[in-house]
Amino acid sequence: MHRVGYLIPEGFQIMSLATQTVFELANIAAGAGVYRVENYSLHGGPVRSSLGMHIDTLPLTAAGLADTWMVAGTLTPLTPPSDEVLHQVRGFVDSARRTAGLCTGTFVLTQAGVLDNRRATTHWAYAKAMQQAHPRVVVEEDRIFIVDGPVWTSAGMTAALDMALGMLETDLGVELARSVAHKMVMHQRRSGGQSQHSELLALAPKSDRIQRALDYARRHLNRPLSVEELAQVVHLSPRQFARVFTAETGQSPARAVESLRLEAARLMIEQSRHSLDTVARETGFRDRRHMREVFMRGFGVPPQAVRRDARRVV
């Protein structure tokens, strides 16, 4: 049996506990108690979440048998926990099979010094602060989750679910992980190498008509997608469309379409075995060389590096 201990700090973010569903459903799918999940705090007893809910916990002094530790995050990650908690966390890494920081729970691992000279990620809103405060940590702020030896770290909120499914796949295989993802209505289980960034969210148009143009562009990326075509979709003149689009998104239509192509190509590279020539063709790049140029400009790495990162064994 795999024993999973959650370290729950005062003011914890309730989303951290959503990952427990992965282990709960794994037990159901496996037809056996393959995981035992327990909640801990320094002294035990009720712990209050950031929303005001309380959860009962066991004291850390009773926590010697967990082989996986999950450190929950808070909405105030820059405030370090007590020295006693940091000492316990260092012990987790030394004795447990793996230790994970959920979202901003990664800060506890950095403050304990266990991420020095390791790769790590956290919620995008706090990644730069983590890098500045802990320069010995190799912060990769644009990743869903990262595994570096026995230490796992996840990006914000729902990314922790992907990390927990990654743990399940490591423990019990890909088919059981897929079964649990299906039960959780997670239509896409993201790999650790994926980006936290969503181009459509970043563009954030203010009107439905510009959103319709973006949705149309995303569905037809294998087409040239001229300004004239997009303008016709929303019944505007090309000149008026370009003006309104730029005012609402901060980007020209051509730049936005290129960003959507880049995101779609990255997802295809991470999630499929299609050749790079096929990916380039399906996402509307002129050819593989053109796609590489855009990848270098957008990500600073070539498509081959993205594929290697996505296939890295976790």
Side-chain angles (χ1 to χ4, degrees), residues 257-289:
V257 167
E258 182 179 272
S259 296
L260 291 176
R261 294 192 200 283
L262 184 60
E263 182 173 52
R266 175 180 56 77
L267 289 173
M268 281 191 71
I269 288 169
E270 290 173 340
Q271 298 171 18
S272 77
R273 294 184 177 275
H274 292 306
S275 70
L276 295 183
D277 289 317
T278 299
V279 172
R281 182 173 63 252
E282 290 296 319
T283 54
F285 291 101
R286 290 192 303 272
D287 51 31
R288 177 172 172 170
R289 179 176 297 180

Side-chain angles (χ1 to χ4, degrees), residues 130-177:
M130 174 179 287
Q131 188 65 87
Q132 291 170 359
H134 303 278
R136 296 183 65 184
V137 180
V138 183
V139 179
E140 298 185 17
E141 61 183 271
D142 198 32
R143 290 290 168 259
I144 295 298
F145 67 88
I146 288 175
V147 184
D148 192 325
V151 183
W152 298 53
T153 54
S154 82
M157 302 297 178
T158 59
L161 294 172
D162 297 287
M163 182 174 70
L165 283 167
M167 292 178 173
L168 173 57
E169 181 177 326
T170 298
D171 294 342
L172 300 172
V174 64
E175 290 304 320
L176 191 60

Side-chain angles (χ1 to χ4, degrees), residues 95-300:
S95 61
R97 183 163 61 98
R98 63 190 170 206
T99 302
L102 304 172
C103 188
T104 57
T106 301
F107 272 82
V108 178
L109 303 184
T110 62
Q111 290 153 351
V114 300
L115 287 178
D116 287 355
N117 303 313
R118 293 186 187 273
R119 298 166 56 243
T121 192
T122 189
H123 193 292
W124 62 265
Y126 296 99
K128 285 185 172 55
M130 174 179 287
Q131 188 65 87
Q132 291 170 359
H134 303 278
R136 296 183 65 184
V137 180
V138 183
V139 179
E140 298 185 17
E141 61 183 271
D142 198 32
R143 290 290 168 259
I144 295 298
F145 67 88
I146 288 175
V147 184
D148 192 325
V151 183
W152 298 53
T153 54
S154 82
M157 302 297 178
T158 59
L161 294 172
D162 297 287
M163 182 174 70
L165 283 167
M167 292 178 173
L168 173 57
E169 181 177 326
T170 298
D171 294 342
L172 300 172
V174 64
E175 290 304 320
L176 191 60
R178 286 175 180 166
S179 174
V180 170
H182 181 66
K183 288 180 172 61
M184 295 179 68
V185 200
M186 293 177 67
H187 300 293
Q188 173 193 337
R189 190 179 75 77
R190 297 173 294 181
S191 66
Q194 278 193 246
S195 172
Q196 299 185 41
H197 180 71
S198 167
E199 195 58 44
L200 282 177
L201 286 176
L203 289 168
K206 298 179 177 61
S207 68
D208 289 342
R209 61 185 173 182
I210 299 302
Q211 183 64 59
R212 285 201 310 273
L214 285 169
D215 290 340
Y216 177 88
R218 185 176 59 172
R219 294 194 306 270
H220 299 87
L221 288 175
N222 60 341
R223 298 165 61 100
L225 292 175
S226 65
V227 171
E228 289 76 14
E229 181 177 356
L230 295 176
Q232 187 176 14
V233 169
V234 294
H235 310 293
L236 293 174
S237 70
R239 183 175 180 179
Q240 186 181 16
F241 173 75
R243 178 178 57 79
V244 174
F245 189 99
T246 302
E248 291 195 16
T249 68
Q251 294 187 23
S252 69
R255 178 64 182 274
V257 167
E258 182 179 272
S259 296
L260 291 176
R261 294 192 200 283
L262 184 60
E263 182 173 52
R266 175 180 56 77
L267 289 173
M268 281 191 71
I269 288 169
E270 290 173 340
Q271 298 171 18
S272 77
R273 294 184 177 275
H274 292 306
S275 70
L276 295 183
D277 289 317
T278 299
V279 172
R281 182 173 63 252
E282 290 296 319
T283 54
F285 291 101
R286 290 192 303 272
D287 51 31
R288 177 172 172 170
R289 179 176 297 180
H290 179 217
M291 183 173 71
R292 187 183 191 280
E293 292 172 358
V294 177
F295 263 71
M296 293 300 297
R297 186 164 62 246
F299 297 140

Side-chain angles (χ1 to χ4, degrees), residues 62-76:
L65 297 179
D67 58 82
T68 295
W69 279 100
M70 310 284 270
V71 181
T74 71
L75 298 180
T76 56

Side-chain angles (χ1 to χ4, degrees), residues 79-96:
T79 303
S82 69
D83 289 341
E84 191 173 357
V85 168
L86 296 178
H87 174 73
Q88 292 281 356
V89 169
R90 296 183 193 104
F92 297 164
V93 178
D94 290 339
S95 61

